[in-house]
Amino acid sequence: MAADSMEIDDALYSRQRYVLGDTAMQKMAQSHVFLSGIGGLGVEIAKNIILAGVKALTVHDTKQCTKWDLGINFFIHEDDISSQRNRAEATLHRIAELNPYVHVAASVVPLDETTDLSFLKQYQCVILTEVSLLLQKKINDFCHAQQPPIKFISADVYGVCSRLFCDFGDEFEVVDTTGEEPKEIFISNITQSNPGIVTCLENHPHRLETGQFLTFREVNGMSCLNGSTHQITVVSPYSFSIGDTSDMEPYLHGGIAVQVKTPKMFYFERLEKQITNPLCLVADFSKPEAPLQIHIAMLALSHFQENFGRGPNIGCLQDAEEMLKIAMSISETLENKPQVNADVVKWLSRTAQGFLTPLAAAIGGIASQEVLKAVTGKFSPLQQWLYIDMLDIVTPLEKMGSEEFLPRGDRYDALRACIGDSLCQKLHDLNIFLVGCGAIGCEMLKNFALLGVGTGQDKGLVTITDPDLIEKSNLNRQFLFRPHHIQKPKSYTAAEATLNINPYLKIDSYINKVCPATESTYSDEFYTKQDVIVTALDNIEARRYIDSRCVANLRPLIDSGTMGTKGHTEVIVPHLTESYNSHRDPPEEEIPFCTLKSFPAAIEHTIQWARDKFESSFSHKPSLFNKFWQTYASAEEVLQRIKSGESLEGCFHVIKTLSRRPRSWTQCVELARVKFEKYFSHKALQLLHSFPLDTRLKDGSLFWQSPKRPPFPVKFEFKDPLHYGFIVSTAKLFATVYCVPFTEKDFSEETILKIISAVKVPEFRPSNKVVQTDETARKPDHIPVSSEDERNAIFQLEKSILSNEALENDLQMKPISFEKDDDSNGHMDFITAASNLRAKMYNIEPADRFKTKRIAGKIIPAIATATAAVSGLVALELIKVVGGYSADAYKNCFLNLAIPIMVFTETAEVRRTEIRNGLSFTIWDRWTVYGKEDFTLLDFINAVREKYGIEPTMVVQGVKMLYVPVMPGHIKRLKLTMQKLVKPSADKKYVDLTVSFAPETDGEEDLPGPPVRYYFVQEDN
């Protein structure tokens, strides 16, 4: 099948399509991949690439399932061990279930130095895990020599160290190195000079890089630039040069520069050569030497395995010494003769028999993305090594005896070999609260199950919550869910699936949102019982709220998130680090009201306009209509009240809606046709009436110049699919909200044409309405109703009553909630048609339904590779939190698998605010005051003064001002009891208040202190 004619299942792949694009998706769906080694790392890679949607995957393994595998492979169960199944055969049907479009086969034949490798020619990519270095070299040589080369990837996790290596052949062309949308830059000036300098609109930095290519359009004056492509040199954040423009016509106004994506060639060396002179990606810039040090240590491990036919024994110092000698001699053979880090070698030797599953999740996610790059040519490949180590976890365990790390014959032996038994027990006894069971949530639960979190005999519990139901689009990333789970609650389903991985996990699942409304469930008492909170959320507000609850209850929080191939992790530890709320993400830029209403300049503006129209016409107005008629019993009552001079809120708009209510399919189509004329013809004519094309501003410049685009009326053409699509989708939505029945026959072209031909379209009459041009102006809340409008409303309502068109059924509408993923409901049909018609009116490049859906639905692009990597990194930090590590052990991470880049940074140390006389506090501090029943506000203020030596000037409870001396009546409050002021619920034992105090210097603002927890009765002390 031709690559460009393949149908993509959007219901399944929609979020991933926004990451990879259709061309890459189609290439991937034709690729055959071979994966050797289905242990803890291999199963991670298999999961991710099957979810992504390659055509076929062969999983190869020659080992039998053992008890050890239960702690590292989430698809191996206890009956696989008792049946002595091969690992590939045991996992085959479980990984195949992840995606019905992928053909998965198992191979159990030996793969060694004697194997004829010609069978690999059928694959586009070969991945090796758990394969000796000698055999890796042999297979890599074979793959590199093919024409075209077979893309080669090898990956391994040994104890606390991991490595990834890529070789995609001598030359590998990448079509799109970043996956970012091509930038569009609005131009304010171009100089006539050599080189010509292009300046962008003020406050809109171009964010380009020297060497990139741009093409120009809509330039007035210097019009020979239009359609031409130029390589640019960045001059400043707001300007760049494009070569000689001195012979061109002078620039007048307007113009858009659009980034042109150009293919880039990447060059690779074979494994044999790269071993002696490795090219490594540095992930932790505080340790730039680390990749080479781990490179030597892992080479020493390979030599040790070859020399002794085994790996170094767990915790064995003699083996560590032997490996150190090997490392020293290897260093001499490398080109730069790098220094050997004895600690890295020692810890690798001590833990190499073990396996750190979260590290496998992290490196597996990254490796899987490299597989997708190999078969699609999308995104920049890794050149050529990546090393990640977790020495931060083991260094504090230095003093533990070797018996801590020895096997006990259970499923946690691989983990125990890395972190010791004491830390394993702490994980088992952990109470953890996971908020969100989406993509990251599912991956986290898998990590918890393999680590044995919440499996302690007497202690330990995993609590999860998520209010959402499973949808088909979730199955592409949320790997605990299957097609038969669709429309079931995520949390209950995820809990059940997690027990399949580890049946000893204790798990409580809820379907509540975590928000102020559910504080009776997720109370302070609930938080105090938790050891750690982990968030797996997709919005900032929820993160902020949970962070504030963690700070109030002194609980550690680990946050993470992804967007496409990008991801982040953040560790928040009481008394050590800043909190999530300590740093503010920049607010999302809002499109100015006047831009949306009258002056769109980009397709995003027309899509948002169409989305707003949908909300207003089919959701907001019907809701207000229903609310009004729930307040007033009948139309007759309303008529009587407004006749007697009463002003009823919203009554004018409600009566207008009632009097124009369509009562048949024909009237719905007529209404849609009238709306077409209003939106796409009359609107343009009105704007050109208010601002003719030759209108000039006070400074003499043209009103209609970039970014303002003059509109031109769209003439209705029945045969234009866009016009016809708008009529049908709009009529369908009107019929739904007005409860008008319709059938399939009503959608026939013949029926629609017959109705439209008879419609009398109102002629355009210009009005003198003022058009808002101020970009800072906000949408007005209420548009005043004139007395003429009120008289008209009385007349219309009387008419409706007399015509028997204000009966009980007429006083109800059916509001519609926007649903982007249901193609049968017509919601996206309306938004796509309306947006593209408005784009046509303003001469803006239209967008296809796919792009429109992403913008209108505010869809966050997502892919399983990034999700898996991020959740692995979170679980690694969790181990440190549980171990009570010092501040310098924790690492936050930002990654972008597309580029690829991975940056580990130390957490931000908590800031301490000095008050005076040695009195200071941080966000984690809390003062306490114990009261009694008749304790007054004055008593409270005196208690704070006596206990902490400061004079409170203001007392605040949340957003409620309890005491601000300058406010009227507040001085009288000093005599009121705290009970009366705060009004606590019966079960509330305390309240958290914020107290401000006077600064040392007059004229400065009052300073806020830490929260003061006021207990209503003394006995709680």
Side-chain angles (χ1 to χ4, degrees), residues 858-906:
K858 293 185 167 57
I859 291 174
I860 299 172
I863 190 164
T865 51
T867 307
V870 158
S871 69
L873 294 170
V874 167
L876 290 166
E877 295 305 312
L878 173 69
I879 295 170
K880 299 176 194 174
V881 172
V882 173
Y885 286 24
S886 59
D888 56 354
Y890 300 107
K891 292 283 188 288
N892 293 337
C893 183
F894 169 78
L895 56 83
N896 184 350
L897 302 186
I899 304 181
I901 185 175
M902 193 171 190
V903 182
F904 288 103
T905 56
E906 288 194 357

Side-chain angles (χ1 to χ4, degrees), residues 349 861 933 1006 1020:
S349 173
E933 206 168 321
D1006 285 1
D1020 287 291

Side-chain angles (χ1 to χ4, degrees), residues 525-584:
E525 193 181 352
F526 170 83
Y527 278 94
T528 310
K529 285 178 183 168
Q530 307 307 318
D531 297 304
V532 187
I533 285 84
V534 175
T535 47
L537 296 160
D538 60 2
N539 71 89
I540 288 170
E541 277 320 298
R543 284 190 176 101
R544 288 201 184 290
Y545 171 72
I546 290 164
D547 176 73
S548 68
R549 299 291 286 133
C550 289
V551 171
N553 291 285
L554 304 179
R555 297 296 94 184
L557 168 67
I558 312 179
D559 176 56
S560 61
T562 67
M563 179 181 271
T565 56
K566 301 185 185 91
H568 81 272
T569 64
E570 183 175 4
V571 196
I572 294 149
V573 185
H575 304 296
L576 296 183
T577 71
E578 291 283 73
S579 79
Y580 182 84
N581 281 307
S582 304
H583 51 82
R584 283 260 168 197

Side-chain angles (χ1 to χ4, degrees), residues 788-807:
E788 189 185 339
D789 286 339
E790 281 177 0
R791 283 196 300 274
N792 204 7
I794 293 172
F795 169 72
Q796 285 176 336
L797 188 55
E798 282 178 330
K799 191 178 166 191
S800 295
I801 292 167
L802 286 169
S803 316
N804 281 335
E805 290 182 347
L807 304 173

Side-chain angles (χ1 to χ4, degrees), residues 805-819:
E805 290 182 347
L807 304 173
E808 194 178 338
N809 279 353
D810 301 313
L811 307 184
Q812 287 176 352
M813 288 175 75
K814 186 182 172 186
I816 297 175
S817 292
F818 175 61
E819 174 44 67

Side-chain angles (χ1 to χ4, degrees), residues 30-43:
Q30 293 182 309
S31 59
H32 295 72
V33 178
F34 178 83
L35 167 65
S36 180
I38 197 83
L41 178 56
V43 75

Side-chain angles (χ1 to χ4, degrees), residues 840-851:
K840 190 175 183 180
M841 178 168 120
Y842 282 95
N843 196 23
I844 293 168
E845 195 77 20
D848 61 14
R849 181 192 180 93
F850 181 57
K851 181 176 178 178

